[in-house]
Amino acid sequence: MREGLLEIFQKAYNELRPGSSLPELKIEFFAFTNVNNTIRLRNGRLLVRLSDLLEGAPPSVLRAIAHILLAKMYRRPIDRGQATRYRRYVASHDIVRKAHLVRQMRGRKRLRPARGHVYDLDAIFEELNTRFFHGLMARPRMSWSHTKTRRILGHYDPAHNAIIISRIFDHFTVPRYVVEYIVYHEMLHLKHPVKLRGSRRCVHPAEFQAEEKLFPHAAQANAFLKRL
Ligand SMILES: [Zn+2]
């Protein structure tokens, strides 16, 4: 473990939950293609995974991410200053360039722009990011499909770090919540990565499905999709 990181999490924990003691903590850096960071509690132990793109981050940014993850874990309000500090760092040139290099190394793909005739997928992603993911998810490339497929509504392509949504939904007769629901589904795939590589299977474990139901218009969206 990186020197000082444990102390940073310890301090952030004490600020959020004074008087209670920090569970056993394990922090790992992971080669996420985008800047995702996760925290979960397993058997009384906190598992923290940080994107390796944060490995060289200054202590102030690591303090911010420790605060954000722990606040999320224990359902405490996220300090605005910390959130801003973290977002600024992620958006900074260094990180953008590194993320870009990682993507380049994983190959190129001809993608259509995120802005369609009716809907802008980048805007939809960012809105959902704020509403459901504490703004913690790094936006992959967002793209409308080349063909108007009904068979695949949307998919996440890890090789190109891209979410591709079927172009049939970029139409004024499609309610916005339907597009949001499909993007939300793909964002959950980012959050719950499939272990099998190169598999075409779409895996939705129980926690994925439970989280998908949190989308307020899930029932209406599903009804619309059935009528497609
Ligand atoms: Zn899926």
Side-chain angles (χ1 to χ4, degrees), residues 101-160:
L101 278 175
V102 170
R103 257 176 249 144
Q104 272 187 334
M105 285 188 310
R106 296 185 187 172
R108 288 164 187 278
K109 185 176 185 170
R110 236 164 29 85
L111 294 174
R112 297 175 69 90
R115 189 188 285 274
H117 295 296
V118 183
Y119 295 115
D120 180 349
L121 293 172
D122 280 349
I124 286 176
F125 182 99
E126 286 310 336
E127 226 177 278
L128 293 169
N129 197 9
T130 308
R131 268 166 77 196
F132 298 102
F133 303 98
H134 306 273
L136 284 173
M137 221 171 258
R139 190 175 73 231
R141 289 181 71 187
M142 302 296 295
S143 171
W144 294 102
S145 67
H146 287 284
T147 57
K148 292 193 169 184
T149 172
R150 276 163 213 275
R151 202 170 53 82
I152 302 164
L153 309 182
H155 75 281
Y156 172 66
D157 174 350
H160 301 94

Side-chain angles (χ1 to χ4, degrees), residues 154 185-186 189 202-204 208 212:
H185 179 99
E186 298 311 322
H189 276 304
C202 179
V203 180
H204 309 112
F208 181 112
E212 191 172 31

Side-chain angles (χ1 to χ4, degrees), residues 174-185:
V174 177
R176 187 181 177 90
Y177 64 76
V178 170
V179 186
E180 286 175 351
Y181 184 60
I182 295 165
V183 173
Y184 180 65
H185 179 99

Side-chain angles (χ1 to χ4, degrees), residues 35 53 86-103:
V35 199
L53 296 174
Y86 171 72
R87 262 204 311 275
R88 283 220 186 103
Y89 180 77
V90 169
S92 74
H93 284 301
D94 225 26
I95 289 283
V96 171
R97 200 182 56 225
K98 273 190 206 155
H100 183 69
L101 278 175
V102 170
R103 257 176 249 144

Side-chain angles (χ1 to χ4, degrees), residues 21-73:
S21 60
L22 176 71
E24 193 190 326
L25 183 70
K26 190 174 172 224
I27 304 172
E28 297 171 323
F29 280 100
F30 257 74
F32 290 120
T33 46
N34 44 16
V35 199
N36 283 329
N37 305 287
T38 64
I39 188 166
R40 56 192 66 188
L41 194 59
R42 283 281 150 81
N43 306 320
R45 210 158 73 124
L46 276 177
L47 300 176
V48 174
R49 285 182 167 182
L50 300 178
S51 163
D52 62 354
L53 296 174
L54 288 177
E55 232 165 347
S60 63
V61 172
L62 295 172
R63 279 198 290 274
I65 191 64
H67 166 80
I68 293 167
L69 288 175
L70 288 166
K72 199 179 140 194
M73 181 83 238

